[in-house]
Amino acid sequence: MPRNRPGALRAATTPGPRTRPVPPPSRIPGLSVRTSLAIHRADPSGTTASALRAYRAFLAQPGRRPLHPRASACPACPGCALDDVREARDVLAGTVPLLPPRPRSELSRTLAELDRRYRLRTLPDPRVGGTEPWWRRRLAEGAEGW
């Protein structure tokens, strides 16, 4: 009777190739793969990626006139709520503390640059109280005196 080779014996006892049940999350533009993966682990729904995209889109509007955040038409809907850039910034602020140190640092640096542009392109609203985050104390669309 012929003898089985050792490799054939091992192949029969080991499981097949490792496969992923779900494809890996897509990379968030402007962030490293490591940070994108950490954000996906902290927020599997993808809300943080959508919020970052909405924040960048708001700041990418052409022109020199000041930008004015506007409330979303349907703030109760998770998808529509991010139409308000202030809600998007709230989501981003909530995600930062959930990340490990290196991804937190990278996202914080990205947000610092976007925040700098947000401050330059929006006007302060003196009527809003000091308990709100700074991005909510900007002059909104439809405010009196606008």
Side-chain angles (χ1 to χ4, degrees):
M1 176 165 183
R3 183 174 156 258
N4 288 336
R5 291 195 222 155
L9 291 173
R10 282 190 301 273
T13 60
T14 59
R18 291 189 301 173
T19 59
R20 294 177 189 247
V22 178
S26 59
R27 185 173 165 266
I28 300 171
L31 297 176
S32 68
V33 174
R34 176 185 286 181
T35 301
S36 298
L37 186 59
I39 289 172
H40 177 71
R41 286 180 181 146
D43 176 28
S45 66
T47 306
T48 303
S50 299
L52 189 58
R53 194 171 24 256
Y55 197 29
R56 285 182 172 145
F58 177 77
L59 295 172
Q61 294 178 36
R64 293 183 174 219
R65 294 182 53 193
L67 299 176
H68 298 281
R70 69 174 171 263
S72 65
C74 182
C77 295
C80 296
L82 296 179
D83 291 343
D84 184 356
V85 71
R86 298 166 295 187
E87 289 293 327
R89 186 60 180 87
D90 285 341
V91 168
L92 294 168
T95 302
V96 170
L98 302 177
L99 299 176
R102 282 187 180 176
R104 182 184 324 136
S105 175
E106 183 179 351
L107 183 61
S108 296
R109 284 191 309 269
T110 302
L111 287 178
E113 174 58 27
L114 293 172
D115 290 345
R116 183 188 67 77
R117 290 175 35 208
Y118 186 78
R119 283 188 180 106
L120 289 174
R121 302 265 336 250
T122 58
L123 300 171
D125 189 356
R127 296 168 295 187
V128 178
T131 59
E132 294 285 330
W134 69 266
W135 56 86
R136 291 211 169 257
R137 296 188 306 244
R138 307 308 278 181
L139 197 60
E141 184 177 90
E144 294 177 30
W146 177 66

